[in-house]
């Protein structure tokens, strides 16, 4: 157990003294709190000293002990009192900081409150204005709902009244010929108000007038159309012709079922050959025709809005013929675009837009790369983006003028397309000249692919039914802009569909393609011939003969040439279209065949071993390089193949052949007749290309034959 200090013991004793139960004279317990200090001391003395007088000698010790304990208690009190001020000071500091923070918060609160009050005062006018505006909107909405209700009631009333009286009206209209004539007189504008006489803009010579019942049905629609799409209405916008065009199409579509199910039976019972749906469409078209004619004349000096109007008219015509089943014999809107000033403006804008797009497509970053380059099945033509975009542009122009009802106008657009093709060809030629210093480069080959792609598409167009019809129209109309200065024979060929309207352009494109292909093969052969120089100077006369060809290897001097040919073929196959690559490798084989024949074979003498080595190099190494692209590549190296046959004949056969050829020459010189001809002997050996005189020259190059 821990040792207690004197103070603790004294404190404990005093505590025990206060806590010890005490009883009064009556024997009742007295509470420690009610006892006085004197009572405690008396109890303490009685307990520690008692009544024994001898124990008084311990009073001194007890006094000393109490003094010591008193001293200890004083020290403790002093130490406690000294430690209290720092804690109190810290508490006061914290309280001061809290007070300052509270004051700052109060200041911020007052500032924010003032700012908010000012903001509310400034926003109050806006809130008042907004409240007024909202009230105005609510009023307008209530008015709109009221007007819709009135409109709906009016439509219901009109339908009820109109359908009930329409049968009677049709019967009266078509009852007899006199009434019919009077009705036509009314519809032509005689005795009818002028919202009716303007319903039909088509002359009577082209289409019959609208019947009176249909005119009456069109009156509310005509009013609505003129209300919304004329004057200063926001819906009357030159930049939005699709608004009124779409509205008319909606009226046609929404009325189709009603006209077929309700009105058509009435017309059928009246014995008239009139289609109610078509008649309604004719009447609505007359509204649109007037509007388009007015807008077109106002947009002649705004290219963008004019183009938009033309596009919307073309789209309207397409939907009219397809979705509304409007007969093709009746005019729609396209004839409005054939008016001289409008048509000329259309052609001018088409040319301007096309030239701008050509400039943009040729200067684009990916102009000379193909978008299908990673898809081998779709990239046979390897057309660069600029060429494909250009032909798409021409196709879009074709789709725009395809539906025009006038062949003469269509031929004008065809002439524009031919001008654009020739312009694009000139641009390709200019770019090609810049790239002609590196014909083996990717861009040069891309230009060649572009020329070939355009030529291929134009060739297909020449067999297209639409362009064949235009070709017949050009011949029958004698269009000088299309036929130019063609002679009678050429015009006759066009009339018999033997030629094409694109023949002149195809000839120019083919000439450009031929020039570019020739330059490409020339550069390729220049590189190959440079690699072939050691092979041309090989020691063909001193090579020993080898009995077993299985042990033969490619001449070391031929390796650079073979590698160059292989690499160039692979590169051309990757960058050229399939048809162009066919021309390229065949042209390369022809040039290489002539070069090897002239510079290797005819410029050297051959021993039997040298001839065998030459044949091995050609048949086992060079020809197989081209075997990847055809089944019998030796047929494209006829001079080299047949020269190897002659050089590798055994000595006896070679001597007999030489004597036969010499005798045939002498016989021909004397009698002029050869029987049998020497070619038959050469054919038996497999020689068809070389002439007898060429064979004699080759035989003289053999060192093993006696001269």
């Amino acid at each position: 157990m821990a040792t207690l200090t004197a103070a603790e013991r004294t404190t404990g004793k005093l505590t025990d003294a206060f806590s010890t139960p005490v009883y009064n004279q009556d024997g009742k317990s007295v509470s420690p709190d009610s006892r006085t200090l004197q009572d405690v001391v008396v109890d303490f003395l009685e307990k520690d000293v008692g009544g024994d007088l001898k124990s008084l000698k311990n009073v001194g010790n007890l006094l000393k002990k109490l003094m010591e304990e008193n001293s200890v208690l004083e020290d403790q009190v002093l130490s406690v009192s000294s430690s209290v001020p720092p804690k109190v000071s810290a508490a006061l500091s914290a309280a001061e900081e809290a007070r300052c923070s509270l004051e700052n918060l109060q200041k911020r609160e007052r500032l924010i409150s003032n700012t908010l009050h000012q903001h509310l005062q400034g926003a109050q006018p806006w809130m008042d204005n907004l409240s007024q505006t909202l009230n105005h909107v609510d009023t307008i909405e209530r008015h709109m709902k009221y007007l819709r209700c009135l409109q709906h009631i009016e439509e219901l009333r009109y339908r009820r009244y109109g359908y009930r009286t329409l049968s009677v009206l049709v019967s009266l209209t078509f009852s007899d010929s006199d009434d019919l004539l009077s009705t036509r007189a009314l519809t032509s504008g005689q005795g009818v108000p002028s919202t009716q006489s303007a319903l039909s803009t088509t002359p009577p010579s082209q289409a019959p007038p609208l019947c009176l019942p249909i005119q009456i049905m069109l009156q509310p629609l005509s009013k609505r159309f003129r209300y919304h799409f004329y004057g200063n209405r926001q819906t009357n916008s030159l930049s939005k012709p699709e608004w009124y065009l779409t509205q008319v199409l909606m009226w046609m579509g929404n009325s189709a079922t009603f006209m077929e199910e309700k009105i058509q039976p009435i017309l059928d019972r009246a014995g008239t050959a009139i289609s109610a749906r078509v008649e309604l469409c004719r009447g609505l078209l007359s509204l649109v025709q007037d509007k388009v004619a007015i807008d077109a004349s106002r947009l002649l000096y705004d290219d963008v809005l004019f183009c938009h109007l033309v596009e919307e008219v073309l789209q309207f015509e397409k939907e009219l013929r397809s979705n509304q089943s409007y007969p093709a014999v009746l005019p729609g809107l396209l004839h409005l675009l054939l008016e001289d000033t409008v048509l000329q403006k259309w052609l001018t804008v088409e040319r301007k837009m096309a030239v701008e797009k050509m400039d943009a497509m040729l200067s684009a970053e990916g102009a000379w790369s193909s978008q299908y380059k990673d898809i081998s099945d779709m990239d046979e033509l390897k057309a660069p983006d600029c060429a494909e975009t250009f032909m798409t542009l021409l196709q879009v122009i074709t789709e725009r003028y395809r539906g025009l009802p006038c062949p003469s106008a269509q031929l004008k657009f065809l002439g524009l397309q031919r001008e654009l093709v020739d312009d694009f060809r000139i641009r390709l030629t200019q770019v090609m000249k810049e790239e002609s210093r590196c014909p083996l480069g990717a861009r040069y080959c891309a230009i060649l692919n572009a020329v070939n792609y355009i030529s291929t598409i134009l060739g297909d167009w020449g067999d297209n039914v639409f362009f064949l019809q235009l070709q017949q129209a050009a011949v029958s109309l004698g269009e000088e802009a299309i036929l130019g200065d063609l002679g009678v024979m050429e015009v006759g060929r066009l009339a018999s569909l033997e030629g094409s309207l694109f023949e002149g352009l195809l000839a120019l494109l083919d000439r450009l393609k031929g020039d570019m292909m020739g330059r490409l093969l020339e550069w390729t052969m220049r590189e190959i011939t440079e690699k072939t120089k050691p092979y041309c100077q090989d020691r063909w006369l001193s090579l020993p003969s080898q009995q077993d060809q299985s042990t033969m290897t490619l001449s070391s001097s031929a390796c650079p040439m073979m590698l160059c040919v292989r690499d160039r073929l692979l590169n051309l196959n990757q960058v050229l279209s399939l048809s162009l690559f066919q021309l390229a490798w065949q042209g390369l084989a022809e040039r290489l065949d002539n070069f090897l024949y002239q510079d290797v074979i005819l410029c050297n003498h051959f021993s039997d071993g040298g001839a065998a080595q030459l044949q091995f190099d050609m048949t086992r190494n060079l020809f197989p390089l081209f075997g990847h692209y055809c089944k019998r590549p030796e047929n494209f190296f006829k001079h080299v193949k047949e020269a190897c046959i002659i050089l590798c004949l055994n000595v006896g056969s070679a001597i007999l052949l030489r004597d036969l050829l010499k005798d045939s020459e002498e016989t021909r010189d004397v009698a002029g007749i050869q029987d049998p001809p020497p070619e038959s002997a050469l054919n038996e050996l497999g020689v068809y290309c070389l002439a007898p005189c060429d064979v004699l020259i080759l035989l003289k190059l053999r060192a093993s034959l006696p001269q």
Side-chain angles (χ1 to χ4, degrees):
M1 296 178 63
T3 304
L4 297 175
T5 62
E8 292 173 342
R9 287 195 299 271
T10 304
T11 306
K13 290 177 181 179
L14 291 174
T15 303
D16 293 340
F18 275 101
S19 61
T20 302
V22 180
Y23 302 90
N24 58 11
Q25 294 177 357
D26 297 333
K28 295 182 179 180
S29 176
V30 181
S31 173
D33 295 337
S34 63
R35 299 172 64 192
T36 63
L37 179 60
Q38 182 179 359
D39 294 336
V40 175
V41 173
V42 171
D43 291 340
F44 174 74
L45 290 176
E46 287 180 355
K47 183 179 179 182
D48 288 351
V49 178
D52 189 4
L53 295 177
K54 293 181 180 182
S55 61
L56 293 175
K57 60 181 179 181
N58 296 327
V59 172
N61 295 333
L62 180 59
L63 179 60
K64 183 179 179 180
K65 185 185 299 184
L66 290 175
M67 292 177 66
E68 291 177 355
E69 291 178 356
N70 186 45
S71 177
V72 172
L73 290 174
E74 290 178 352
D75 293 339
Q76 290 181 355
V77 171
L78 291 175
S79 63
V80 171
S81 62
S82 63
S83 62
V84 170
K87 295 183 178 178
V88 174
S89 177
L92 292 175
S93 299
E96 182 65 21
E97 292 178 358
R99 185 186 65 80
C100 294
S101 177
L102 180 60
E103 290 179 354
N104 291 333
L105 290 176
Q106 290 177 344
K107 291 180 180 179
R108 291 180 60 189
E109 186 271 337
R110 288 192 296 270
L111 179 61
I112 293 175
S113 178
N114 294 333
T115 304
L116 179 60
H117 182 68
Q118 294 176 0
H119 178 72
L120 291 177
Q121 289 180 346
Q124 187 62 38
W126 294 90
M127 295 175 64
D128 296 339
N129 293 335
L130 181 60
S131 177
Q132 294 177 1
T133 303
L134 292 177
N135 293 333
H136 185 58
V137 170
D138 292 338
T139 303
I140 293 176
E141 287 183 349
R142 289 195 298 271
H143 291 171
M144 290 295 294
K145 291 179 181 178
Y146 177 72
L147 291 176
R148 289 194 187 100
C149 292
L150 290 179
Q151 180 182 1
H152 185 63
I153 294 172
E154 180 68 19
E155 289 178 354
L156 292 178
R157 185 190 65 80
Y158 174 76
R159 290 179 183 176
R160 183 179 179 182
Y161 170 77
Y163 179 68
R164 184 185 304 169
T165 59
L166 186 62
S167 179
V168 178
L169 182 62
V170 172
S171 299
L172 292 175
T173 303
F174 298 100
S175 59
D176 52 44
S177 59
D178 294 337
D179 290 339
L180 180 60
L181 291 175
S182 62
T183 300
R184 291 184 176 178
L186 287 174
T187 57
S188 63
Q190 301 175 5
V192 180
S194 58
T195 61
Q196 297 183 11
S197 61
L199 287 177
S200 178
T201 59
T202 304
S205 59
Q206 297 184 10
L210 293 173
C211 63
L212 183 58
I214 300 298
Q215 290 193 38
I216 295 176
M217 294 180 63
L218 285 173
Q219 286 182 4
L221 297 179
S222 176
K223 291 180 180 179
R224 293 178 61 183
F225 186 88
R226 296 182 183 280
Y227 175 82
H228 288 290
F229 304 116
Y230 283 88
N232 297 325
R233 303 291 178 184
Q234 292 183 352
T235 50
N236 182 26
S237 174
L238 288 175
S239 62
K240 298 293 182 181
E242 61 270 23
W243 286 353
Y244 62 82
L245 294 174
T246 303
Q247 182 62 63
V248 169
L249 288 175
M250 289 177 59
W251 284 342
M252 292 179 180
N254 295 338
S255 304
T257 303
F258 174 77
M259 299 299 292
E260 292 176 352
E261 295 181 358
K262 304 297 183 181
I263 307 303
Q264 189 63 48
I266 301 175
L267 295 175
D268 294 340
R269 287 196 298 268
T272 63
I274 294 178
S275 171
R277 182 178 181 181
V278 172
E279 285 293 286
L280 181 67
C281 291
R282 279 209 305 135
L284 292 174
L285 269 177
S286 64
L287 301 176
V288 182
Q289 289 168 353
D290 292 340
K291 178 63 175 173
V292 170
I294 294 173
D295 287 357
S297 62
R298 297 173 62 186
L299 295 177
L300 292 177
Y301 301 100
D302 192 320
D303 293 347
V304 176
L305 294 183
F306 181 84
C307 288
H308 183 58
L309 176 63
V310 171
E311 290 288 349
E312 292 299 328
V313 168
L314 295 175
Q315 184 63 28
F316 176 88
E317 185 78 17
K318 182 178 179 181
E319 295 186 13
L320 178 68
R321 304 295 181 181
S322 59
N323 298 342
Q324 306 301 328
S325 302
Y326 194 67
V329 296
L330 297 178
L333 296 182
L334 293 184
H335 67 281
L336 300 175
L337 302 178
L338 301 182
E339 197 271 330
D340 290 340
T341 56
V342 177
L343 180 60
Q344 188 59 41
K345 178 64 177 180
W346 186 4
L347 289 167
T348 303
V349 172
E350 285 283 8
R351 181 182 292 103
K352 176 183 176 182
M353 297 295 183
V355 171
E356 291 177 355
K357 291 178 180 178
M358 279 195 293
D359 293 336
M361 67 181 68
L362 288 174
S363 60
E365 182 177 356
W368 304 108
S369 61
S370 173
Q371 58 179 333
Y372 306 112
K373 60 183 178 182
D374 298 327
I375 308 176
S376 57
D377 295 340
M378 299 180 59
D379 200 30
E380 289 187 359
L381 292 176
K382 291 185 172 62
D385 282 353
C386 62
E388 194 165 1
T389 305
F390 174 71
M391 295 309 297
T392 302
L393 172 65
L394 294 184
Q395 183 62 39
V396 170
I397 295 177
T398 302
E399 294 302 322
R400 277 199 286 265
Y401 76 82
R402 181 189 293 271
L404 293 180
C406 177
S408 177
Q410 291 177 329
L411 290 173
K412 291 181 180 179
F413 282 95
L414 177 61
L416 171 62
Q417 288 178 308
R418 299 204 310 179
E419 292 178 11
L420 294 176
V421 172
D422 195 51
D423 188 3
F424 195 76
R425 178 191 63 84
I426 295 174
R427 292 168 185 260
L428 289 178
T429 303
Q430 293 173 348
V431 180
M432 180 271 295
K433 291 179 179 179
E434 297 175 359
E435 300 294 330
S436 60
R437 288 173 290 184
C438 184
L440 302 180
R443 175 169 292 192
Y444 185 90
C445 294
I447 299 172
L448 184 55
N449 286 332
V451 175
N452 181 68
Y453 175 75
I454 297 174
S455 179
T456 302
I457 298 299
L458 290 182
D460 295 340
W461 285 5
D463 297 329
N464 185 276
V465 175
F466 173 70
F467 289 105
L468 290 176
Q469 293 174 347
L470 287 184
Q471 182 172 324
Q472 290 281 14
V475 174
S476 61
L477 295 175
E479 288 286 342
E480 295 183 359
I482 301 297
L483 301 178
D485 55 353
L486 294 179
V488 179
M489 295 296 294
E490 288 80 2
V491 174
R493 290 181 65 251
L494 292 178
S496 61
L497 301 182
E498 295 180 4
S500 167
L501 293 176
F502 302 101
E503 278 188 345
L505 292 173
L506 289 174
L508 294 174
L509 290 171
D510 289 342
R511 182 185 304 172
L512 177 60
K513 180 171 64 175
D515 293 342
M516 294 186 67
M517 181 63 72
R519 186 177 288 106
L520 175 65
L521 294 178
E522 180 182 351
W523 276 73
T524 303
M525 278 302 301
R526 186 180 303 175
E527 185 177 0
I528 293 176
T529 53
E530 186 66 25
K531 303 291 184 181
T532 313
K533 286 183 179 180
Y535 191 68
C536 296
Q537 301 172 359
D538 214 340
R539 301 171 61 188
W540 301 105
L541 187 59
S542 60
L543 290 178
S545 60
Q546 298 185 18
Q547 300 297 330
D548 187 7
Q549 287 193 354
S550 62
T551 61
M552 297 181 65
T553 60
L554 176 66
S555 300
S556 59
S557 58
C559 290
M561 175 188 68
M562 299 296 179
L563 290 175
C564 184
V565 172
R566 183 202 64 181
D567 294 342
R568 283 298 155 217
L569 287 175
L570 291 175
N571 180 65
L572 293 176
N573 190 21
Q574 291 176 354
V575 298
L576 293 179
S577 66
L578 182 61
S579 59
L580 285 178
F581 178 68
Q582 292 286 342
L583 296 176
W585 75 258
Q586 292 177 11
L588 181 62
E590 179 182 0
R591 284 169 169 78
L592 191 57
D593 177 50
N594 291 328
F595 170 75
L596 292 174
Y597 181 73
Q598 296 290 339
D599 290 41
V600 176
I601 296 176
L602 295 183
C603 292
N604 289 282
H605 288 76
F606 297 86
S607 63
D608 292 342
Q613 183 65 51
L614 176 66
Q615 186 179 39
F616 180 82
D617 293 343
M618 298 295 105
T619 58
R620 299 293 184 88
N621 295 277
L622 179 62
F623 296 169
L625 291 179
F626 293 83
H628 296 288
Y629 316 110
C630 64
K631 293 182 178 180
R632 301 183 64 84
E634 63 274 7
N635 291 339
F636 296 91
F637 293 88
K638 294 181 179 180
H639 292 86
V640 173
K641 181 188 71 172
E642 295 180 2
C644 290
I645 292 175
I646 300 299
L647 292 176
C648 292
L649 283 176
N650 58 57
V651 176
S653 299
I655 293 175
L656 291 176
L657 179 62
R658 183 183 62 184
D659 294 342
L660 175 63
L661 294 177
K662 287 184 176 180
D663 293 341
S664 65
E665 282 188 351
E666 295 175 357
T667 304
R668 182 186 61 189
D669 293 339
V670 175
I673 300 175
Q674 301 180 15
D675 190 22
E679 286 79 5
S680 59
L682 295 177
N683 294 342
E684 292 178 0
L685 296 175
V687 178
Y688 299 92
C689 178
L690 296 178
C693 59
D694 297 326
V695 174
L696 284 175
I697 294 175
L698 291 173
L699 290 174
K700 293 179 181 179
L701 299 178
R702 296 188 55 169
S704 59
L705 292 183
Q707 301 300 325

